[in-house]
Amino acid sequence: MSKKNNNHLPQAAKEKLEGTPMLVVKKSNSTESISNSIVNKLKDNTFLQSEIIHDLIAGHDVVLFGKAGCGYCEKAKEALDEFSSSSAVPFTFKVYNVVGNPEISRNDAATITKLLRSKLGLFDLTFPQIVVNGYYIGGADDLIELINNKEFDAILGDSYVTLSESGKINWYPPLEKDAANPKLLQIATMKNTWYPHWPWYTFQWVMYSNMIRYISILHIIFMVVALTLLQTEYYSAGNVILWILTFDLIMFTILGPSPWSFTGTASYYFLWKIRGNATSTIPYKLVYTIYITKVLSYLLKESNQPPDSINVNSISRFLCFATGNSVLLAVFRF
């Protein structure tokens, strides 16, 4: 690979990232020299920035990229700790807190996140992201599933997988196949929780975390369009959109996002590859119940009497509030 001048992370930031504790379950001659190796390369102005991620995963059997305060990251680390205590397969385990690390600047964290997203071939990045023996295996839920299915041992036992010809981290083949085939009827699984995992045609307690973001974006579009039309002579079209939105919210709340809610189904189908980890649907169903109550109350009044400017103004104010709340759901999931 040719080398050229490129912007790179400051040496101090790199040292802070490398300072994250490492659980060593197997002695490895390469692990102790990794930090110094990367720091030395960062001093070299000809070192390609794109090689940083490769150097972070090199020499370790399991590498977890996470962020501070991330529950899914803790769940993944606990699963690895438990696996290491009972497994006959020794391995090295390295954790990098990329986001939320007070000793790394936001710009440096953003740079590392961007590089990681590029190396994994993802346009949206959640945490944790786990690489095992050179293979990208997904997040916390994917890790736990592999451990439960006894596949994790097999991956550790394979030869180390180098980067692809394009310089990206290779996906674990079953994960890559799964990502290419959306499963609209698959219910997310939360381990060690009281949430029941009922079939898709009943009340769904669990969903994939990123899906609420994309569903919320679609809801924002519906609400903005409806809000705009309600202020014009085409207010009846705005009401039609609100009826469609209300039906979608009702199906999500009573049953679940997919296949009952069309915004949920669309999100699952087009964004399955970046669906995220499992999370409870309950907080979102409670929020949507408020949406339904207010909007349905307005629609039922409007269907039984001529247009009322007071009602229109009231629902317009609520739609502004709901749009703002949905923006928070899309960005922060709360």
Side-chain angles (χ1 to χ4, degrees):
M1 181 183 295
S2 62
K3 295 183 178 181
K4 60 181 181 181
N5 290 327
N6 203 341
N7 295 327
H8 51 71
L9 297 175
Q11 176 182 345
K14 194 61 179 178
E15 290 174 339
K16 296 299 183 183
L17 183 65
E18 277 293 306
T20 309
M22 176 178 68
L23 168 66
V24 180
V25 193
K26 176 185 72 175
K27 291 184 178 179
S28 172
N29 294 330
S30 61
T31 54
E32 295 181 358
S33 62
I34 290 298
S35 180
N36 290 333
S37 173
I38 293 179
V39 170
N40 289 335
K41 286 186 177 181
L42 284 172
K43 295 178 181 177
D44 182 359
N45 290 329
T46 65
F47 177 64
L48 284 173
Q49 189 183 69
S50 59
E51 294 179 358
I52 291 176
I53 300 299
H54 174 261
D55 274 30
L56 288 176
I57 66 175
H60 307 292
D61 298 313
V62 181
V63 175
L64 186 152
F65 294 94
K67 67 177 181 179
C70 170
Y72 295 117
C73 300
E74 292 303 318
K75 184 169 70 170
K77 286 187 280 188
E78 289 173 3
L80 285 167
D81 288 338
E82 183 178 346
F83 173 82
S84 67
S85 63
S86 59
S87 173
V89 181
F91 64 96
T92 56
F93 171 30
K94 182 74 175 181
V95 177
Y96 298 105
N97 277 333
V98 177
V99 179
N101 188 333
E103 297 180 327
I104 300 177
S105 72
R106 290 187 178 181
N107 288 338
D108 294 336
T111 298
I112 298 171
T113 300
K114 180 180 179 181
L115 291 171
L116 182 59
R117 186 171 62 241
S118 174
K119 286 295 183 181
L120 295 177
L122 299 171
F123 68 86
D124 187 27
L125 194 68
T126 57
F127 292 99
Q129 298 294 341
I130 306 170
V131 178
V132 180
N133 217 5
Y135 274 128
Y136 168 60
I137 66 158
D141 292 337
D142 299 299
L143 168 68
I144 293 172
E145 184 176 354
L146 288 174
I147 291 176
N148 291 340
N149 294 339
K150 309 300 181 183
E151 294 181 65
F152 193 72
D153 307 68
I155 302 175
L156 287 174
D158 287 343
S159 300
Y160 188 87
V161 179
T162 57
L163 299 180
S164 66
E165 293 182 358
S166 62
K168 296 184 181 297
I169 298 173
N170 287 283
W171 284 40
Y172 181 53
L175 176 68
E176 186 173 24
K177 181 179 179 181
D178 180 69
N181 298 285
K183 294 179 175 59
L184 302 182
L185 306 182
Q186 179 170 306
I187 304 299
T189 302
M190 291 181 69
K191 305 294 182 182
N192 303 320
T193 68
W194 63 270
Y195 293 108
H197 297 90
W198 294 344
W200 61 269
Y201 49 82
T202 58
F203 186 91
Q204 297 177 18
W205 295 81
V206 183
M207 67 180 295
Y208 294 104
S209 57
N210 273 350
M211 292 306 170
I212 194 63
R213 301 180 190 274
Y214 313 128
I215 290 172
S216 296
I217 291 173
L218 294 175
H219 287 170
I220 291 169
I221 294 173
F222 273 87
M223 288 187 283
V224 168
V225 173
L227 183 60
T228 302
L229 291 174
L230 287 175
Q231 311 305 315
T232 69
E233 59 184 298
Y234 304 106
Y235 64 87
S236 58
N239 288 340
V240 171
I241 291 176
L242 288 180
W243 275 113
I244 296 172
L245 176 62
T246 302
F247 175 80
D248 183 73
L249 292 169
I250 290 174
M251 297 307 292
F252 181 103
T253 303
I254 296 178
L255 293 168
S258 179
W260 304 106
S261 156
F262 64 84
T263 57
T265 302
S267 297
Y268 271 51
Y269 184 82
F270 292 105
L271 300 164
W272 177 256
K273 185 176 180 179
I274 50 175
R275 58 191 179 277
N277 297 293
T279 190
S280 171
T281 61
I282 303 304
Y284 311 116
K285 291 192 175 191
L286 291 175
V287 171
Y288 290 164
T289 298
I290 298 175
Y291 287 12
I292 293 167
T293 302
K294 184 63 178 180
V295 176
L296 191 58
S297 174
Y298 158 77
L299 290 172
L300 292 176
K301 287 181 181 179
E302 287 296 302
S303 63
N304 294 322
Q305 61 186 37
D308 188 329
S309 60
I310 296 178
N311 287 338
V312 171
N313 289 337
S314 176
I315 194 62
S316 295
R317 287 193 296 270
F318 177 77
L319 288 177
C320 288
F321 161 78
T323 300
N325 188 74
S326 291
V327 169
L328 292 177
L329 289 176
V331 177
F332 303 109
R333 289 198 295 112
F334 67 83

Short mmCIF file of all heavy atoms in Angstrom, two decimals, residues 271-328:
data_model
loop_
_atom_site.label_atom_id
_atom_site.label_comp_id
_atom_site.label_asym_id
_atom_site.label_seq_id
_atom_site.Cartn_x
_atom_site.Cartn_y
_atom_site.Cartn_z
N LEU A 271 -33.59 -1.03 6.06
CA LEU A 271 -32.49 -0.71 6.97
C LEU A 271 -32.14 -1.88 7.88
O LEU A 271 -31.60 -1.69 8.97
CB LEU A 271 -32.86 0.52 7.79
CG LEU A 271 -33.14 1.77 6.94
CD1 LEU A 271 -33.86 2.83 7.76
CD2 LEU A 271 -31.85 2.34 6.38
N TRP A 272 -32.46 -3.08 7.44
CA TRP A 272 -32.22 -4.27 8.24
C TRP A 272 -30.75 -4.42 8.61
O TRP A 272 -30.41 -4.86 9.70
CB TRP A 272 -32.70 -5.50 7.46
CG TRP A 272 -32.45 -6.80 8.14
CD1 TRP A 272 -31.48 -7.72 7.84
CD2 TRP A 272 -33.19 -7.34 9.24
NE1 TRP A 272 -31.57 -8.80 8.68
CE2 TRP A 272 -32.61 -8.60 9.55
CE3 TRP A 272 -34.27 -6.90 9.99
CZ2 TRP A 272 -33.09 -9.40 10.58
CZ3 TRP A 272 -34.75 -7.70 11.02
CH2 TRP A 272 -34.16 -8.94 11.30
N LYS A 273 -29.88 -4.05 7.71
CA LYS A 273 -28.44 -4.24 7.92
C LYS A 273 -27.94 -3.46 9.13
O LYS A 273 -26.97 -3.87 9.77
CB LYS A 273 -27.68 -3.80 6.66
CG LYS A 273 -26.19 -4.06 6.70
CD LYS A 273 -25.53 -3.68 5.39
CE LYS A 273 -24.03 -3.94 5.42
NZ LYS A 273 -23.37 -3.59 4.13
N ILE A 274 -28.58 -2.37 9.46
CA ILE A 274 -28.13 -1.52 10.57
C ILE A 274 -29.24 -1.41 11.62
O ILE A 274 -29.46 -0.35 12.19
CB ILE A 274 -27.71 -0.13 10.07
CG1 ILE A 274 -28.80 0.48 9.17
CG2 ILE A 274 -26.39 -0.20 9.33
CD1 ILE A 274 -28.51 1.89 8.74
N ARG A 275 -29.90 -2.53 11.91
CA ARG A 275 -31.06 -2.53 12.79
C ARG A 275 -30.71 -2.26 14.25
O ARG A 275 -31.56 -1.86 15.03
CB ARG A 275 -31.81 -3.85 12.69
CG ARG A 275 -30.99 -5.08 13.01
CD ARG A 275 -31.74 -6.34 12.63
NE ARG A 275 -30.99 -7.56 12.91
CZ ARG A 275 -30.08 -8.07 12.10
NH1 ARG A 275 -29.79 -7.45 10.97
NH2 ARG A 275 -29.46 -9.19 12.40
N GLY A 276 -29.47 -2.51 14.64
CA GLY A 276 -29.07 -2.25 16.03
C GLY A 276 -29.39 -3.41 16.95
O GLY A 276 -29.76 -4.51 16.52
N ASN A 277 -29.27 -3.16 18.26
CA ASN A 277 -29.50 -4.18 19.27
C ASN A 277 -30.95 -4.17 19.73
O ASN A 277 -31.72 -3.27 19.41
CB ASN A 277 -28.58 -3.93 20.47
CG ASN A 277 -27.11 -4.05 20.10
OD1 ASN A 277 -26.63 -5.12 19.77
ND2 ASN A 277 -26.40 -2.93 20.15
N ALA A 278 -31.31 -5.19 20.50
CA ALA A 278 -32.68 -5.31 20.99
C ALA A 278 -32.96 -4.30 22.10
O ALA A 278 -32.10 -4.01 22.92
CB ALA A 278 -32.91 -6.72 21.50
N THR A 279 -34.17 -3.76 22.10
CA THR A 279 -34.59 -2.84 23.15
C THR A 279 -36.09 -2.99 23.37
O THR A 279 -36.80 -3.54 22.54
CB THR A 279 -34.25 -1.38 22.76
OG1 THR A 279 -34.46 -0.53 23.89
CG2 THR A 279 -35.12 -0.90 21.61
N SER A 280 -36.57 -2.50 24.48
CA SER A 280 -37.99 -2.61 24.81
C SER A 280 -38.83 -1.66 23.96
O SER A 280 -38.42 -0.52 23.67
CB SER A 280 -38.20 -2.30 26.29
OG SER A 280 -39.57 -2.19 26.59
N THR A 281 -40.02 -2.09 23.58
CA THR A 281 -40.95 -1.24 22.84
C THR A 281 -41.82 -0.40 23.78
O THR A 281 -42.47 0.54 23.32
CB THR A 281 -41.88 -2.08 21.96
OG1 THR A 281 -42.65 -2.97 22.80
CG2 THR A 281 -41.12 -2.89 20.94
N ILE A 282 -41.85 -0.75 25.06
CA ILE A 282 -42.80 -0.14 25.99
C ILE A 282 -42.71 1.39 26.05
O ILE A 282 -43.74 2.07 25.95
CB ILE A 282 -42.65 -0.75 27.40
CG1 ILE A 282 -42.83 -2.27 27.34
CG2 ILE A 282 -43.67 -0.14 28.35
CD1 ILE A 282 -44.13 -2.71 26.73
N PRO A 283 -41.53 1.99 26.21
CA PRO A 283 -41.48 3.46 26.26
C PRO A 283 -42.06 4.12 25.03
O PRO A 283 -42.74 5.14 25.11
CB PRO A 283 -39.97 3.76 26.41
CG PRO A 283 -39.39 2.51 26.96
CD PRO A 283 -40.19 1.40 26.38
N TYR A 284 -41.80 3.53 23.86
CA TYR A 284 -42.27 4.11 22.61
C TYR A 284 -43.77 3.90 22.43
O TYR A 284 -44.47 4.78 21.91
CB TYR A 284 -41.48 3.51 21.45
CG TYR A 284 -40.00 3.54 21.71
CD1 TYR A 284 -39.26 2.37 21.83
CD2 TYR A 284 -39.33 4.75 21.88
CE1 TYR A 284 -37.91 2.41 22.12
CE2 TYR A 284 -37.98 4.80 22.16
CZ TYR A 284 -37.27 3.62 22.28
OH TYR A 284 -35.93 3.67 22.58
N LYS A 285 -44.26 2.78 22.88
CA LYS A 285 -45.71 2.54 22.80
C LYS A 285 -46.47 3.50 23.72
O LYS A 285 -47.59 3.93 23.39
CB LYS A 285 -46.02 1.08 23.15
CG LYS A 285 -45.52 0.10 22.09
CD LYS A 285 -46.08 -1.30 22.28
CE LYS A 285 -45.64 -2.20 21.12
NZ LYS A 285 -46.34 -3.49 21.10
N LEU A 286 -45.88 3.85 24.84
CA LEU A 286 -46.51 4.82 25.73
C LEU A 286 -46.55 6.20 25.07
O LEU A 286 -47.57 6.92 25.15
CB LEU A 286 -45.75 4.89 27.06
CG LEU A 286 -45.86 3.65 27.96
CD1 LEU A 286 -44.96 3.81 29.19
CD2 LEU A 286 -47.30 3.42 28.39
N VAL A 287 -45.46 6.60 24.44
CA VAL A 287 -45.42 7.89 23.73
C VAL A 287 -46.44 7.90 22.61
O VAL A 287 -47.19 8.88 22.43
CB VAL A 287 -44.00 8.15 23.18
CG1 VAL A 287 -44.00 9.37 22.25
CG2 VAL A 287 -43.02 8.37 24.31
N TYR A 288 -46.51 6.82 21.85
CA TYR A 288 -47.44 6.76 20.71
C TYR A 288 -48.89 6.74 21.18
O TYR A 288 -49.79 7.18 20.46
CB TYR A 288 -47.13 5.55 19.84
CG TYR A 288 -45.82 5.67 19.08
CD1 TYR A 288 -45.22 4.56 18.49
CD2 TYR A 288 -45.19 6.90 18.95
CE1 TYR A 288 -44.02 4.69 17.80
CE2 TYR A 288 -43.99 7.03 18.26
CZ TYR A 288 -43.42 5.92 17.68
OH TYR A 288 -42.24 6.04 16.99
N THR A 289 -49.14 6.22 22.37
CA THR A 289 -50.50 6.25 22.92
C THR A 289 -50.96 7.70 23.11
O THR A 289 -52.12 8.04 22.86
CB THR A 289 -50.55 5.49 24.26
OG1 THR A 289 -50.20 4.12 24.03
CG2 THR A 289 -51.96 5.56 24.85
N ILE A 290 -50.04 8.56 23.55
CA ILE A 290 -50.35 9.98 23.70
C ILE A 290 -50.64 10.59 22.33
O ILE A 290 -51.61 11.35 22.16
CB ILE A 290 -49.20 10.72 24.39
CG1 ILE A 290 -48.99 10.16 25.80
CG2 ILE A 290 -49.46 12.22 24.42
CD1 ILE A 290 -47.78 10.75 26.52
N TYR A 291 -49.82 10.27 21.35
CA TYR A 291 -50.04 10.76 19.99
C TYR A 291 -51.44 10.35 19.50
O TYR A 291 -52.20 11.17 18.97
CB TYR A 291 -49.00 10.18 19.02
CG TYR A 291 -47.60 10.72 19.12
CD1 TYR A 291 -47.19 11.52 20.18
CD2 TYR A 291 -46.67 10.41 18.13
CE1 TYR A 291 -45.88 11.99 20.25
CE2 TYR A 291 -45.36 10.88 18.19
CZ TYR A 291 -44.98 11.67 19.26
OH TYR A 291 -43.69 12.13 19.33
N ILE A 292 -51.74 9.08 19.67
CA ILE A 292 -53.01 8.54 19.18
C ILE A 292 -54.20 9.24 19.85
O ILE A 292 -55.17 9.64 19.18
CB ILE A 292 -53.09 7.02 19.44
CG1 ILE A 292 -52.06 6.28 18.59
CG2 ILE A 292 -54.49 6.49 19.13
CD1 ILE A 292 -51.85 4.83 19.00
N THR A 293 -54.14 9.37 21.15
CA THR A 293 -55.24 9.98 21.91
C THR A 293 -55.55 11.38 21.41
O THR A 293 -56.72 11.73 21.17
CB THR A 293 -54.90 10.01 23.41
OG1 THR A 293 -54.64 8.69 23.87
CG2 THR A 293 -56.04 10.62 24.20
N LYS A 294 -54.52 12.19 21.24
CA LYS A 294 -54.72 13.58 20.83
C LYS A 294 -55.18 13.69 19.38
O LYS A 294 -56.16 14.40 19.07
CB LYS A 294 -53.42 14.36 21.03
CG LYS A 294 -53.52 15.84 20.72
CD LYS A 294 -54.48 16.54 21.65
CE LYS A 294 -54.53 18.05 21.37
NZ LYS A 294 -55.47 18.75 22.28
N VAL A 295 -54.51 13.00 18.48
CA VAL A 295 -54.83 13.12 17.06
C VAL A 295 -56.19 12.50 16.76
O VAL A 295 -56.99 13.07 15.99
CB VAL A 295 -53.72 12.46 16.21
CG1 VAL A 295 -54.11 12.51 14.73
CG2 VAL A 295 -52.39 13.17 16.43
N LEU A 296 -56.47 11.35 17.34
CA LEU A 296 -57.74 10.68 17.07
C LEU A 296 -58.91 11.52 17.60
O LEU A 296 -59.97 11.59 16.98
CB LEU A 296 -57.75 9.29 17.71
CG LEU A 296 -58.90 8.36 17.30
CD1 LEU A 296 -58.90 8.15 15.79
CD2 LEU A 296 -58.75 7.02 18.02
N SER A 297 -58.71 12.15 18.75
CA SER A 297 -59.74 13.02 19.30
C SER A 297 -60.07 14.15 18.33
O SER A 297 -61.25 14.48 18.09
CB SER A 297 -59.28 13.58 20.64
OG SER A 297 -60.20 14.53 21.14
N TYR A 298 -59.05 14.75 17.75
CA TYR A 298 -59.25 15.82 16.77
C TYR A 298 -59.95 15.30 15.53
O TYR A 298 -60.91 15.91 15.03
CB TYR A 298 -57.90 16.42 16.39
CG TYR A 298 -57.91 17.13 15.06
CD1 TYR A 298 -58.46 18.40 14.93
CD2 TYR A 298 -57.38 16.51 13.93
CE1 TYR A 298 -58.49 19.04 13.69
CE2 TYR A 298 -57.39 17.15 12.70
CZ TYR A 298 -57.95 18.41 12.58
OH TYR A 298 -57.99 19.03 11.36
N LEU A 299 -59.50 14.16 15.01
CA LEU A 299 -60.07 13.63 13.77
C LEU A 299 -61.54 13.26 13.93
O LEU A 299 -62.35 13.48 13.02
CB LEU A 299 -59.26 12.41 13.32
CG LEU A 299 -57.85 12.69 12.80
CD1 LEU A 299 -57.09 11.40 12.57
CD2 LEU A 299 -57.89 13.53 11.52
N LEU A 300 -61.90 12.70 15.07
CA LEU A 300 -63.30 12.32 15.30
C LEU A 300 -64.19 13.55 15.40
O LEU A 300 -65.34 13.55 14.93
CB LEU A 300 -63.41 11.47 16.56
CG LEU A 300 -62.78 10.08 16.48
CD1 LEU A 300 -62.85 9.36 17.83
CD2 LEU A 300 -63.44 9.25 15.39
N LYS A 301 -63.68 14.62 15.98
CA LYS A 301 -64.45 15.86 16.04
C LYS A 301 -64.63 16.46 14.65
O LYS A 301 -65.71 16.92 14.29
CB LYS A 301 -63.74 16.87 16.95
CG LYS A 301 -63.81 16.56 18.42
CD LYS A 301 -63.09 17.62 19.23
CE LYS A 301 -63.15 17.30 20.72
NZ LYS A 301 -62.43 18.33 21.53
N GLU A 302 -63.57 16.44 13.86
CA GLU A 302 -63.62 17.01 12.53
C GLU A 302 -64.54 16.25 11.60
O GLU A 302 -65.13 16.81 10.68
CB GLU A 302 -62.21 17.07 11.93
CG GLU A 302 -61.33 18.14 12.53
CD GLU A 302 -61.85 19.53 12.26
OE1 GLU A 302 -62.01 19.90 11.08
OE2 GLU A 302 -62.13 20.26 13.23
N SER A 303 -64.70 14.95 11.83
CA SER A 303 -65.54 14.13 10.94
C SER A 303 -67.02 14.33 11.21
O SER A 303 -67.86 13.97 10.39
CB SER A 303 -65.19 12.65 11.12
OG SER A 303 -65.49 12.22 12.44
N ASN A 304 -67.34 14.93 12.37
CA ASN A 304 -68.75 15.09 12.74
C ASN A 304 -69.23 16.53 12.68
O ASN A 304 -70.38 16.82 13.01
CB ASN A 304 -68.97 14.57 14.17
CG ASN A 304 -68.76 13.07 14.27
OD1 ASN A 304 -69.12 12.33 13.36
ND2 ASN A 304 -68.15 12.62 15.37
N GLN A 305 -68.37 17.45 12.24
CA GLN A 305 -68.76 18.85 12.18
C GLN A 305 -67.88 19.58 11.19
O GLN A 305 -66.82 19.08 10.79
CB GLN A 305 -68.62 19.50 13.56
CG GLN A 305 -67.20 19.49 14.12
CD GLN A 305 -67.14 20.02 15.54
OE1 GLN A 305 -68.03 19.79 16.34
NE2 GLN A 305 -66.08 20.77 15.84
N PRO A 306 -68.29 20.77 10.75
CA PRO A 306 -67.50 21.55 9.81
C PRO A 306 -66.15 21.91 10.42
O PRO A 306 -65.98 21.88 11.64
CB PRO A 306 -68.35 22.80 9.58
CG PRO A 306 -69.73 22.40 9.95
CD PRO A 306 -69.58 21.39 11.07
N PRO A 307 -65.19 22.25 9.58
CA PRO A 307 -63.86 22.61 10.08
C PRO A 307 -63.93 23.72 11.13
O PRO A 307 -64.64 24.70 10.97
CB PRO A 307 -63.13 23.07 8.81
CG PRO A 307 -63.84 22.39 7.70
CD PRO A 307 -65.27 22.30 8.11
N ASP A 308 -63.21 23.52 12.19
CA ASP A 308 -63.18 24.47 13.29
C ASP A 308 -61.76 24.98 13.45
O ASP A 308 -60.84 24.20 13.69
CB ASP A 308 -63.64 23.77 14.57
CG ASP A 308 -63.82 24.75 15.73
OD1 ASP A 308 -63.10 25.75 15.77
OD2 ASP A 308 -64.67 24.48 16.60
N SER A 309 -61.60 26.29 13.31
CA SER A 309 -60.25 26.87 13.38
C SER A 309 -59.61 26.64 14.74
O SER A 309 -58.39 26.50 14.85
CB SER A 309 -60.31 28.37 13.08
OG SER A 309 -61.13 29.04 14.02
N ILE A 310 -60.44 26.57 15.79
CA ILE A 310 -59.90 26.33 17.12
C ILE A 310 -59.29 24.94 17.20
O ILE A 310 -58.19 24.74 17.72
CB ILE A 310 -61.00 26.51 18.20
CG1 ILE A 310 -61.50 27.95 18.21
CG2 ILE A 310 -60.46 26.11 19.57
CD1 ILE A 310 -62.61 28.21 19.21
N ASN A 311 -60.02 23.96 16.67
CA ASN A 311 -59.51 22.58 16.67
C ASN A 311 -58.24 22.46 15.82
O ASN A 311 -57.30 21.76 16.18
CB ASN A 311 -60.57 21.62 16.13
CG ASN A 311 -61.69 21.38 17.13
OD1 ASN A 311 -61.52 21.59 18.33
ND2 ASN A 311 -62.84 20.97 16.64
N VAL A 312 -58.25 23.15 14.68
CA VAL A 312 -57.09 23.10 13.79
C VAL A 312 -55.88 23.71 14.48
O VAL A 312 -54.77 23.16 14.42
CB VAL A 312 -57.39 23.83 12.46
CG1 VAL A 312 -56.10 23.96 11.64
CG2 VAL A 312 -58.44 23.07 11.66
N ASN A 313 -56.08 24.83 15.15
CA ASN A 313 -54.97 25.47 15.85
C ASN A 313 -54.45 24.58 16.99
O ASN A 313 -53.25 24.50 17.23
CB ASN A 313 -55.41 26.82 16.42
CG ASN A 313 -55.63 27.85 15.33
OD1 ASN A 313 -55.07 27.73 14.24
ND2 ASN A 313 -56.45 28.85 15.61
N SER A 314 -55.39 23.92 17.66
CA SER A 314 -55.01 23.04 18.77
C SER A 314 -54.17 21.86 18.28
O SER A 314 -53.13 21.55 18.85
CB SER A 314 -56.26 22.54 19.49
OG SER A 314 -55.90 21.61 20.50
N ILE A 315 -54.65 21.21 17.21
CA ILE A 315 -53.91 20.05 16.70
C ILE A 315 -52.59 20.48 16.07
O ILE A 315 -51.60 19.75 16.12
CB ILE A 315 -54.77 19.24 15.69
CG1 ILE A 315 -54.12 17.87 15.44
CG2 ILE A 315 -54.92 20.00 14.38
CD1 ILE A 315 -54.04 17.00 16.65
N SER A 316 -52.56 21.69 15.52
CA SER A 316 -51.32 22.19 14.93
C SER A 316 -50.26 22.37 16.01
O SER A 316 -49.09 22.03 15.81
CB SER A 316 -51.57 23.51 14.20
OG SER A 316 -52.44 23.33 13.10
N ARG A 317 -50.67 22.91 17.16
CA ARG A 317 -49.73 23.07 18.26
C ARG A 317 -49.23 21.72 18.75
O ARG A 317 -48.04 21.55 19.05
CB ARG A 317 -50.39 23.85 19.41
CG ARG A 317 -50.59 25.32 19.12
CD ARG A 317 -50.93 26.08 20.39
NE ARG A 317 -52.22 25.63 20.93
CZ ARG A 317 -53.38 26.16 20.63
NH1 ARG A 317 -53.45 27.17 19.75
NH2 ARG A 317 -54.50 25.71 21.19
N PHE A 318 -50.16 20.76 18.82
CA PHE A 318 -49.74 19.44 19.27
C PHE A 318 -48.79 18.80 18.26
O PHE A 318 -47.82 18.14 18.65
CB PHE A 318 -50.95 18.51 19.48
CG PHE A 318 -50.56 17.11 19.86
CD1 PHE A 318 -50.16 16.83 21.16
CD2 PHE A 318 -50.54 16.09 18.93
CE1 PHE A 318 -49.76 15.55 21.52
CE2 PHE A 318 -50.15 14.81 19.28
CZ PHE A 318 -49.77 14.54 20.58
N LEU A 319 -49.07 18.96 16.97
CA LEU A 319 -48.19 18.38 15.95
C LEU A 319 -46.79 18.99 16.02
O LEU A 319 -45.80 18.30 15.77
CB LEU A 319 -48.79 18.58 14.56
CG LEU A 319 -50.02 17.72 14.22
CD1 LEU A 319 -50.55 18.08 12.84
CD2 LEU A 319 -49.67 16.23 14.28
N CYS A 320 -46.70 20.27 16.37
CA CYS A 320 -45.38 20.88 16.55
C CYS A 320 -44.65 20.22 17.70
O CYS A 320 -43.46 19.91 17.60
CB CYS A 320 -45.54 22.37 16.81
SG CYS A 320 -46.07 23.34 15.37
N PHE A 321 -45.38 19.99 18.80
CA PHE A 321 -44.78 19.31 19.95
C PHE A 321 -44.37 17.88 19.59
O PHE A 321 -43.26 17.44 19.91
CB PHE A 321 -45.78 19.28 21.11
CG PHE A 321 -45.47 18.24 22.16
CD1 PHE A 321 -44.47 18.45 23.10
CD2 PHE A 321 -46.17 17.02 22.19
CE1 PHE A 321 -44.18 17.48 24.05
CE2 PHE A 321 -45.88 16.06 23.13
CZ PHE A 321 -44.88 16.28 24.06
N ALA A 322 -45.29 17.14 18.92
CA ALA A 322 -45.01 15.74 18.57
C ALA A 322 -43.84 15.64 17.59
O ALA A 322 -43.03 14.71 17.68
CB ALA A 322 -46.26 15.10 17.97
N THR A 323 -43.75 16.60 16.68
CA THR A 323 -42.63 16.60 15.73
C THR A 323 -41.31 16.78 16.46
O THR A 323 -40.33 16.07 16.20
CB THR A 323 -42.81 17.71 14.69
OG1 THR A 323 -44.03 17.50 13.96
CG2 THR A 323 -41.64 17.73 13.71
N GLY A 324 -41.29 17.72 17.40
CA GLY A 324 -40.08 17.94 18.19
C GLY A 324 -39.71 16.71 19.00
O GLY A 324 -38.54 16.33 19.09
N ASN A 325 -40.72 16.05 19.59
CA ASN A 325 -40.46 14.84 20.37
C ASN A 325 -39.94 13.71 19.48
O ASN A 325 -39.04 12.96 19.87
CB ASN A 325 -41.75 14.39 21.07
CG ASN A 325 -41.52 13.26 22.04
OD1 ASN A 325 -40.96 13.44 23.12
ND2 ASN A 325 -41.92 12.06 21.65
N SER A 326 -40.49 13.61 18.27
CA SER A 326 -40.04 12.57 17.34
C SER A 326 -38.62 12.83 16.85
O SER A 326 -37.88 11.89 16.56
CB SER A 326 -41.00 12.46 16.15
OG SER A 326 -42.24 11.93 16.58
N VAL A 327 -38.25 14.11 16.79
CA VAL A 327 -36.85 14.44 16.45
C VAL A 327 -35.93 13.89 17.53
O VAL A 327 -34.87 13.31 17.23
CB VAL A 327 -36.68 15.96 16.31
CG1 VAL A 327 -35.19 16.31 16.23
CG2 VAL A 327 -37.40 16.46 15.06
N LEU A 328 -36.32 14.04 18.80
CA LEU A 328 -35.52 13.49 19.90
C LEU A 328 -35.44 11.97 19.80
O LEU A 328 -34.39 11.37 20.06
CB LEU A 328 -36.12 13.90 21.24
CG LEU A 328 -36.05 15.39 21.59
CD1 LEU A 328 -36.74 15.66 22.92
CD2 LEU A 328 -34.61 15.87 21.64
#
